Amino acid sequence: MASIPGITLNNGITMPQLGFGVFQVPDEETTAAVSTALESGYRSIDTAAIYGNERGVGRALASSGIARDELFVTTKLWNADQGYDTTLTAFDASLDKLGLDHVDLYLIHWPTPARDLYRDTWRALEKLLADGRTRAIGVSNFQPAHLQRLLESTSVVPVVNQVELHPGLQQTALREFHARHGIVTEAWSPLAQGALLADPAITSIAAGHGRTPAQVVLRWHLQLGNVVIPKSVTPDRIRENLALFDFALTAEEMAAIAALDRGLRTGPDPDALN
Ligand code: NDP
């Protein structure tokens, strides 16, 4: 079974660099998908309150027989629950659905700048961290301006910012901001939901290594230092997306993928979503 490298976060804890995402997986299908992922060797699972499948994740975790301290579970606070007290209540609900007494990482799902509540929300996450109910706290979909504003009001730096990132949207400025502040970049939709897998630049690199396009894209992320959380409900793909640690892309291949950057957003604009 492949050994997944760990990334040390700015509070000293370690997170697997490769995890398993469950966005758009119905709750009743989630248990089977997460169980397949855990049997294949994934130990990090990324869910969110809004996905409606925290119970399905929890069932798979409970039946896996894997020790809690070998698992890394992330969930996220939904936009409508932003605010200090509402965050604490929403966190309790997530933990109850997951059937856990703590999570490893709790994220603010979107900044929703028009609500102007992410700093109050962050204070609630700081309390959850201090109380040991989550081992780390972070954000998702924050642009540099949102991060800057948050950093001005707190001494607790988010451990990660989970953002849309793939060869069509490489987030160079944001990644530089993260590097300056000790924030790990976590890539959501790392495969652009499949949109780039037929690109000739990627298929030709894949053919050269005897690998699939998805493996090439995920390997590119790992070599950039990103945490990745590909999603699949297909057992063969779940295993394929884990087989990334016995080949490497050359500097020329990395450069060829860098050239695919074109501002391709598949999800919402974080400045506009509320
Ligand atoms: P991904 O980029 O992971 O792509 C998933 C799609 O690609 C599915 O249709 C899947 O098909 C297909 N796929 C997976 N593996 C392969 C493969 N080896 N070959 C060909 N096709 C493949 O998209 P997601 O949007 O799901 O992003 C991943 C995770 O990121 C989410 O599940 C979620 O945890 C997180 N996320 C976070 C967001 C946020 O706002 N913080 C927003 C969006 C996602 P199939 O399942 O049919 O096999």
Side-chain angles (χ1 to χ4, degrees):
M1 197 176 279
S3 165
I4 298 170
I7 291 225
T8 302
L9 306 177
N10 65 28
N11 68 347
I13 77 163
T14 302
M15 174 177 192
Q17 196 182 2
L18 174 72
F20 184 71
V22 294
F23 178 43
Q24 293 176 319
V25 184
D27 191 57
E28 60 279 10
E29 292 172 35
T30 298
T31 306
V34 172
S35 296
T36 302
L38 294 171
E39 283 158 19
S40 307
Y42 295 81
R43 290 294 177 267
S44 168
I45 308 295
D46 182 89
T47 184
I50 195 68
Y51 301 170
N53 57 20
E54 289 169 312
R55 286 188 199 285
V57 170
R59 282 192 296 269
L61 298 175
S63 64
S64 71
I66 298 169
R68 176 66 186 89
D69 63 4
E70 289 178 29
L71 297 166
F72 192 100
V73 181
T74 302
T75 193
K76 314 184 192 89
L77 175 85
W78 185 239
N79 304 343
D81 292 319
Q82 282 214 28
Y84 188 86
D85 292 331
T86 42
T87 294
L88 298 178
T89 304
F91 179 83
D92 286 345
S94 282
L95 217 50
D96 182 58
K97 287 178 183 159
L98 285 162
L100 298 176
D101 65 3
H102 71 280
V103 293
D104 296 280
L105 178 58
Y106 196 45
L107 303 179
I108 301 178
H109 205 146
W110 292 88
T112 63
R115 290 173 198 259
D116 194 19
L117 285 171
Y118 59 77
R119 291 178 302 172
D120 288 345
T121 304
W122 188 251
R123 285 195 299 111
L125 266 61
E126 288 180 5
K127 173 169 172 51
L128 295 168
L129 180 69
D131 291 349
R133 305 188 75 208
T134 180
R135 295 173 65 226
I137 56 177
V139 296
S140 178
N141 299 301
F142 274 46
Q143 300 279 43
H146 311 134
L147 285 171
Q148 188 63 51
R149 193 151 170 270
L150 184 63
L151 293 178
E152 283 163 10
S153 71
T154 180
S155 58
V156 183
V157 179
V159 295
V160 305
N161 185 16
Q162 184 187 113
V163 295
E164 180 174 356
L165 203 171
H166 44 69
L169 182 70
Q170 298 191 13
Q171 302 271 26
T172 306
L174 192 53
R175 286 196 288 117
E176 285 170 4
F177 186 102
H178 294 164
R180 280 200 300 281
H181 293 277
I183 300 169
V184 166
T185 302
E186 182 172 12
W188 64 252
S189 292
L191 301 171
Q193 298 198 340
L196 301 166
L197 299 182
D199 188 292
I202 291 170
T203 55
S204 68
I205 294 170
H209 286 276
R211 297 288 170 152
T212 66
Q215 288 173 319
V216 166
V217 171
L218 294 172
R219 182 71 210 179
W220 169 82
H221 282 284
L222 296 179
Q223 288 184 215
L224 284 184
N226 298 337
V227 170
V228 273
I229 44 170
K231 168 264 175 187
S232 177
V233 293
T234 313
D236 284 347
R237 289 175 171 174
I238 292 173
R239 290 186 281 271
E240 173 186 322
N241 295 346
L242 197 60
L244 307 174
F245 303 103
D246 54 353
F247 76 108
L249 303 179
T250 65
E252 292 73 23
E253 289 167 339
M254 292 294 286
I257 299 175
L260 300 178
D261 195 12
R262 54 179 181 276
L264 175 75
R265 242 184 224 292
T266 64
D269 176 347
D271 281 307
L273 187 81
N274 285 293

